[in-house]
């Protein structure tokens, strides 16, 4: 029986049966289940982190003035790396059956969220060469490169997966919060407009107070001074505690469910590896790669592997005498 593919990148495997240069490049760039792929991912991860650090340090005028040449050189190297990476990913994207073939397939890939992130990472550099906008704005936009970490970090991938899965629920809770903000602003406007015509002169202006109160920030720049306004503000503050906790609870529950699902998928892969007997060295490497892709720690992966090995051993031995079944 052929073993099931349960790795996170199993749907990215090339559809072509003949592994040509493009298929091999696809496996290195997108699947990253080879030594070359892991090495490339590590290099790109370091370059992305260094870019974010560089943008932050460039905002300090004294540092940038002294090391401007080094910052510019590093930016040129980074742009070259990211441009080649983007072009290569577009070129090999047609190896994924999901996008199809030819220029239409590459165009469909270019419209995916991760491809757009890759494009945004290099776009500010090229825009600054053709526009007269302050270059400091484009340098700041390079901070968007931090989103490229989601391609190389299991933790970022887990976060984006949870947000994507729980998007509808989170949007619903935010919509409810927006309604409460409007109602709170309207109520405070009615109560406080005569006592504080400058602070609560309109509902849109009162929405600032409602927002900072519901989110329990409370800057104190707008506060009710009437007795009825204070009572109403107290009720809104109490309601805000629950409303702010709602999206956080949804995401926390989503994290828990996603981790359980990934552990279950990893456990299935372990069972498939144990079905043919002892786990080989190649299969151990594959399981290690899968654990990293699922965002599982080495210790957790070892515990799951040992648990399944124990379960498999107990199923093939007599519970009374301990002899193996034949």
């Amino acid at each position: 029986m052929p073993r099931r593919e349960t790795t996170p990148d199993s749907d990215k495997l090339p559809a072509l049966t003949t592994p040509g240069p493009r298929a091999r490049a696809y496996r290195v760039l997108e699947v990253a289940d080879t030594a070359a792929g892991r090495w490339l991912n590590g290099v790109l991860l370091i370059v992305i982190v260094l870019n974010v650090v560089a943008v932050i340090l460039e905002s300090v005028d004294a540092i940038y003035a002294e090391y401007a040449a080094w910052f510019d050189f590093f930016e040129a190297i980074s742009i070259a790396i990211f441009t080649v990476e983007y072009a290569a990913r577009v070129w090999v994207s047609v190896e994924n059956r999901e996008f199809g073939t030819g220029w239409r397939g590459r165009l469909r890939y270019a419209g995916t969220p991760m491809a757009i992130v890759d494009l945004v990472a290099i776009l500010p550099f090229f825009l600054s060469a053709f526009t007269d906008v302050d270059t400091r704005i484009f340098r700041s936009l390079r901070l968007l490169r931090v989103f490229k970490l989601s391609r190389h970090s299991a933790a970022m991938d887990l976060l984006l997966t949870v947000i994507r899965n729980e998007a509808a629920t989170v949007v619903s809770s935010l919509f409810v919060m927006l309604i409460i903000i409007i109602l709170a602003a309207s109520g405070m406007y009615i109560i406080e407009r005569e006592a504080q015509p400058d602070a609560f002169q309109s509902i849109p202006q009162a929405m600032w107070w409602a927002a900072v109160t519901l989110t329990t920030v409370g800057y104190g720049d707008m506060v009710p001074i009437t007795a009825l306004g204070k009572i109403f503000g107290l009720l809104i503050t109490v309601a805000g505690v629950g409303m702010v906790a709602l999206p956080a609870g949804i995401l926390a529950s989503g994290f828990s469910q996603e981790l359980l699902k990934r552990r279950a998928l990893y456990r299935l892969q372990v069972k498939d590896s144990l079905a043919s007997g002892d786990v080989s060295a190649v299969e151990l490497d594959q399981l290690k790669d899968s654990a990293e892709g699922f965002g599982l720690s080495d210790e957790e992966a070892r515990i799951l592997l040992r648990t399944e090995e124990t379960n498999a051993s107990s199923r093939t031995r007599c519970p009374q005498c301990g002899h193996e079944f034949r």
Side-chain angles (χ1 to χ4, degrees):
M1 179 184 296
R3 190 165 68 241
R4 292 189 300 270
E5 288 287 350
T6 55
T7 62
D9 298 316
S10 59
D11 59 333
K12 297 181 179 179
L13 293 175
L16 299 183
T17 56
T18 304
R22 193 175 64 190
R24 290 195 293 270
Y26 177 90
R27 198 169 193 96
V28 170
L29 282 168
E30 297 292 348
V31 184
D33 61 347
T34 62
R38 288 189 288 270
W39 180 86
L40 179 62
N41 268 346
V43 170
L44 291 174
L45 180 62
I46 293 173
V47 173
I48 294 168
V49 172
L50 289 178
N51 266 264
V52 174
V53 174
V55 174
I56 294 173
L57 293 179
E58 282 183 24
S59 64
V60 182
D61 293 337
I63 296 178
Y64 182 73
E66 185 173 355
Y67 301 101
W70 288 100
F71 282 122
D72 294 341
F73 176 74
F74 179 67
E75 171 66 4
I77 295 296
S78 300
I79 286 297
I81 293 173
F82 292 147
T83 302
V84 171
E85 179 201 4
Y86 178 74
R89 289 187 188 278
V90 172
W91 175 57
V92 305
S93 62
V94 292
E95 293 293 323
N96 191 333
R97 61 177 63 90
E98 177 184 350
F99 301 113
T101 59
W103 66 270
R104 295 182 184 275
R106 293 187 173 94
L107 194 60
R108 278 191 287 270
Y109 168 79
T112 59
M114 285 311 306
I116 293 174
V117 168
D118 290 337
L119 180 61
V120 169
I122 61 177
L123 204 56
F125 176 84
F126 294 106
L127 288 177
S128 63
F130 299 103
T131 61
D132 296 329
V133 180
D134 189 350
T135 57
R136 289 176 298 180
I137 297 176
F138 288 115
R139 290 206 303 265
S140 299
L141 288 176
R142 288 183 304 166
L143 280 173
L144 296 175
R145 291 175 188 172
V146 71
F147 291 106
K148 286 174 65 66
L149 288 174
S150 59
R151 188 192 294 275
H152 309 284
S153 170
M156 285 288 290
D157 176 68
L158 175 60
L159 173 62
L160 293 178
T161 300
V162 171
I163 292 176
R164 183 169 58 249
N165 293 342
E166 304 295 335
T169 308
V170 172
V171 168
S172 298
S173 65
L174 293 177
F175 180 72
V176 173
M177 179 173 284
L178 177 61
I179 293 176
I180 295 178
I181 288 176
I182 294 174
L183 294 176
S186 302
M188 191 57 68
Y189 164 71
I190 294 172
I191 296 172
E192 292 287 326
R193 62 176 176 174
E194 293 184 1
Q196 301 185 79
D198 294 333
F200 296 93
Q201 59 181 329
S202 66
I203 292 177
Q205 189 170 358
M207 288 179 69
W208 165 254
W209 170 86
V212 298
T213 302
L214 278 168
T215 54
T216 68
V217 176
Y219 286 113
D221 54 342
M222 296 173 63
V223 294
I225 59 175
T226 65
L228 184 58
K230 291 179 180 179
I231 294 174
F232 185 75
L234 176 63
L235 296 176
I236 295 301
T237 302
V238 173
V241 173
M243 287 307 305
V244 171
L246 186 58
I250 292 172
L251 291 178
S253 175
F255 265 102
S256 177
Q257 293 177 4
E258 183 64 23
L259 285 173
L260 288 175
K261 184 178 74 173
R262 294 187 176 203
R263 290 191 188 101
L265 290 174
Y266 181 75
R267 190 176 287 110
L268 282 175
Q269 188 171 354
V270 171
K271 288 181 178 179
D272 285 345
S273 299
L274 292 171
S276 57
D278 294 334
V279 181
S280 65
V282 175
E283 289 175 324
L284 281 175
D285 290 338
Q286 292 176 345
L287 289 174
K288 182 179 180 180
D289 292 339
S290 296
E292 292 178 356
F294 286 132
L296 304 178
S297 65
D298 292 339
E299 182 180 1
E300 188 175 13
R302 284 196 298 268
I303 291 174
L304 290 173
L305 177 59
R306 290 172 183 170
T307 301
E308 292 303 324
E309 286 177 337
T310 302
N311 293 339
S313 176
S314 64
R315 287 193 295 267
T316 58
R317 293 179 179 272
C318 174
Q320 302 298 327
C321 62
H323 291 294
E324 293 186 0
F325 294 121
R326 296 187 182 276

